[in-house]
Amino acid sequence: MKISEIIKLSNEKLKNIEYVDPTREAIEIISHVLLADENEILLSNDLEINDNDLEEIKDLIELRSSGEPLQYVLNRAYFYNRKFYIDNRALIPRYDTEHLLYRTLEISKDFKNPDILEVGAGSGAISITLNLELENARIEACDISNDALEVCNINQELHNSDVNFFYSDLFGNVVKKYDIIISNPPYIKKSDLSLIPKETLKEPLNALDGGEDGLDFYKEITKESIDYLKDGGYLIYEIGFDEAYDVYEIMNKYEFKNINIDKDFQNLDRVIYGKKG
Ligand code: GLN
């Protein structure tokens, strides 16, 4: 079978999946299996694929056509220009979440040797990126999911990073105080879970479900963070596009100062942060 024929097949198979560019995805799948550059594939329409590779490519297209996100099919996701391992044990790193990273990098400049804790590490992409970007920081990250922590450890090895990952139900096993606490907690309202794309439902529900009003984790983390932040320390969150007002109120209630909001590239509220007064 030629590459052009595989692309045709992929278009046929993936036409019923939401939010997909089947040609683009076929090229990503083919280049993954052939260990080839995507540009090379684009220039090789007539290349014949051998039977072994063809079988693998067809299996991956089949898996994708069942609604499995491409990142899980290919076991990779990109975050801040780095490649991370991913599978369905952890939430797929989102491009939008880079805003949480930008703000954390910026606030870190206020500290000589910032001690940073991430609550809810997921794949580990945020904490590992912070570790690689910030020479003078010490990064720790916890998660309630041992499955997710296994993915963190795979990524830690891939990037040769030095994050202290540990198991904890929110602050349950946290024993010290930090300069900066960050989190991209589950924040989707329970009633909205039925509206999100089917593909997103292939991701761990406990990384998405924020309770009745989507705010369960902001309430709990903000309240508890007071005991685990040094004076003058910062709390930084990713938030859902319509949650800024509510999370502002929660942070205000616990007397955080200088509360500010960052917008994402779609001009939606995406990050909120404040200083322990
Ligand atoms: N931004 C994610 C989504 O809407 C939600 C992630 C989260 O709950 N932290 O798919």
Side-chain angles (χ1 to χ4, degrees):
M1 207 180 225
K2 290 181 180 168
I3 287 189
S4 57
E5 292 166 314
I6 299 177
I7 290 175
K8 216 162 128 197
L9 174 89
S10 164
N11 271 275
E12 196 50 43
K13 286 266 180 200
L14 301 182
K15 68 174 183 242
N16 293 326
I17 302 275
E18 295 169 279
Y19 313 113
V20 164
D21 175 347
T23 301
R24 168 93 240 134
E25 294 206 357
I27 288 165
E28 287 189 43
I29 290 172
I30 295 166
S31 68
H32 174 85
V33 172
L34 302 187
L35 301 173
D37 203 70
E38 285 176 27
N39 291 337
E40 238 174 276
I41 303 298
L42 284 163
L43 294 171
S44 315
N45 253 338
D46 290 332
L47 184 78
E48 280 287 341
I49 304 296
N50 73 44
D51 286 351
N52 279 346
D53 289 343
L54 184 60
E55 190 138 330
E56 193 178 343
I57 290 167
K58 280 184 169 170
D59 285 350
L60 295 177
I61 292 174
E62 197 62 44
L63 187 59
R64 179 70 184 104
S65 75
S66 73
E68 195 75 8
L70 186 67
Q71 292 92 334
Y72 288 165
V73 171
L74 300 183
N75 294 124
R76 57 108 184 93
Y78 294 89
F79 188 73
Y80 206 68
N81 285 330
R82 290 189 182 89
K83 190 175 177 176
F84 288 87
Y85 172 85
I86 192 73
D87 64 31
N88 65 5
R89 290 175 291 181
L91 192 82
I92 298 167
R94 309 288 206 263
Y95 184 51
D96 285 336
T97 301
E98 292 188 3
H99 292 277
L100 175 60
L101 187 84
Y102 303 148
R103 180 50 60 191
T104 308
L105 291 174
E106 195 55 34
I107 287 177
S108 296
K109 292 179 187 161
D110 290 358
F111 299 88
K112 197 162 163 242
N113 297 107
D115 259 317
I116 303 177
L117 173 70
E118 182 184 15
V119 179
S123 64
I126 301 171
S127 281
I128 289 172
T129 305
L130 286 172
N131 184 222
L132 298 174
E133 294 293 321
L134 293 170
E135 277 182 11
N136 302 324
R138 184 179 158 71
I139 318 289
E140 305 195 35
C142 60
D143 207 290
I144 192 175
S145 160
N146 280 313
D147 275 352
L149 288 167
E150 283 173 23
V151 176
C152 289
N153 287 327
I154 294 172
N155 281 317
Q156 174 107 299
E157 249 178 61
L158 271 178
H159 289 285
N160 202 12
S161 53
D162 183 28
V163 176
N164 177 26
F165 288 109
F166 61 102
Y167 172 87
S168 182
D169 180 356
L170 298 181
F171 291 92
N173 294 340
V174 176
V175 292
K176 54 180 259 205
K177 292 191 185 228
Y178 297 85
D179 297 304
I180 301 172
I181 295 176
I182 68 171
S183 186
N184 172 19
Y187 58 66
I188 298 179
K189 288 187 195 68
K190 232 184 218 344
S191 57
D192 284 349
L193 283 172
S194 59
L195 307 174
I196 62 180
K198 276 199 217 75
E199 292 189 14
T200 307
L201 290 174
K202 301 269 181 178
E203 298 183 77
L205 201 58
N206 66 356
L208 296 165
D209 183 352
E212 294 306 325
D213 57 5
L215 302 170
D216 282 7
F217 292 92
Y218 298 111
K219 291 176 193 157
E220 198 54 40
I221 294 172
T222 308
K223 180 173 142 208
E224 290 192 50
S225 72
I226 297 296
D227 292 333
Y228 299 97
L229 273 175
K230 298 178 196 167
D231 289 338
Y234 282 85
L235 178 61
I236 315 174
Y237 286 125
E238 175 171 316
I239 51 172
F241 71 96
D242 57 354
E243 294 176 328
Y245 178 80
D246 291 321
V247 180
Y248 184 99
E249 288 296 308
I250 295 166
M251 292 177 77
N252 202 25
K253 178 174 160 198
Y254 291 99
E255 298 184 356
F256 278 86
K257 304 281 182 271
N258 309 339
I259 304 171
N260 271 296
I261 291 155
D262 291 331
K263 294 199 180 278
D264 64 19
F265 295 128
Q266 296 181 69
N267 213 29
L268 300 171
D269 295 334
R270 182 58 60 193
V271 168
I272 189 165
Y273 58 100
K275 189 172 184 170
K276 182 178 162 185

